[in-house]
Amino acid sequence: MGESTNPRATLRFDRRIRLEFHGATITSDAGLLACRELDDALGLTETANECLQESRGGRNVQHRLVGLLRQSVYSRLAGYEDTNDAERLSDDPTMRVIVGRRGGPERPAASTNTMSRFETEVLTQDGNVEGLGRVNAEWVDRAMTHTAHRRVVLDMDSSESPVHGEQEGASYNGHWEHVYTLCFVF
């Protein structure tokens, strides 16, 4: 009586990852590894395989859809506001582990150009815009199965990403001029 019937999310930290100091392989984003473990325990980013459509084809595809989504989400989680930092992050030891490329953490994550194409071409396709909505709903459902609470309080906030020129989808803002207006829900 009084016992929780909700399944517990168990984290299994990757024991191959060690904390050491070697000047060439320093990261400032090691805290993201705990988030990735929670992601794996709940199966969050893996839902992209079910909800998003892969439109890229051919032999030159080097990064899986789920890996690109992880790099996009986790770089924002770490405070990087756009894909401009992807080049540097592609060699970051933490980001290489988070992306989980075939061949292990020795393989780099996606470059700035790859991430920009992913976010502006792949994610913006009609089926994928709807799929992102399904991904969000699935993430909430999976998280709610691990809590006794049946009510969720969402904190919504907006942010601006300034654009230069006449980019498609930009809107006018009196302070920032032309921007992409982003909505965050926490």
Side-chain angles (χ1 to χ4, degrees):
M1 214 112 185
E3 296 289 323
S4 173
T5 58
N6 295 330
R8 293 192 181 268
T10 304
L11 304 181
R12 293 180 177 85
F13 289 101
D14 189 343
R15 298 196 186 283
R16 295 174 298 167
I17 299 171
R18 297 185 316 249
L19 300 177
E20 296 179 352
F21 179 78
H22 297 287
T25 55
I26 292 177
T27 183
S28 62
D29 299 319
L32 293 175
L33 295 172
C35 295
R36 171 63 198 274
E37 291 292 331
L38 181 61
D39 176 358
D40 284 346
L42 297 177
L44 299 178
T45 52
E46 285 297 325
T47 60
N49 284 328
E50 304 156 13
C51 299
L52 301 178
Q53 301 167 4
E54 175 65 271
S55 60
R56 303 169 303 146
R59 296 180 308 172
N60 292 331
V61 175
Q62 297 181 18
H63 302 276
R64 296 181 308 129
L65 185 76
V66 171
L68 292 171
L69 181 66
R70 281 184 185 136
Q71 187 170 345
S72 180
V73 169
Y74 282 88
S75 63
R76 295 323 190 285
L77 188 59
Y80 302 101
E81 63 186 35
D82 52 33
T83 61
N84 290 339
D85 294 297
E87 200 69 43
R88 185 179 60 76
L89 290 173
S90 70
D91 291 322
D92 184 276
T94 298
M95 191 58 70
R96 290 189 318 223
V97 169
I98 285 170
V99 169
R101 285 196 61 196
R102 289 182 218 110
E106 295 76 35
R107 304 279 310 270
S111 68
T112 299
N113 291 339
T114 301
M115 289 304 300
S116 293
R117 279 191 305 273
F118 171 71
E119 292 183 2
T120 60
E121 294 174 17
V122 176
L123 289 182
T124 59
Q125 294 172 352
D126 288 338
N128 285 341
V129 171
E130 294 169 7
L132 286 171
R134 290 192 308 272
V135 166
N136 287 335
E138 185 67 27
W139 287 8
V140 170
D141 290 345
R142 289 180 185 213
M144 290 303 291
T145 62
H146 296 283
T147 181
H149 303 289
R150 292 293 156 224
R151 185 175 79 149
V152 176
V153 177
L154 300 176
D155 178 17
M156 298 178 71
D157 197 3
S158 65
S159 178
E160 296 86 16
S161 180
V163 298
H164 308 284
E166 299 295 321
Q167 279 100 342
E168 184 179 342
S171 60
Y172 182 78
N173 175 305
H175 177 73
W176 291 102
E177 299 292 321
H178 288 6
V179 297
Y180 288 122
T181 302
L182 310 169
C183 182
F184 297 97
V185 180
F186 302 98

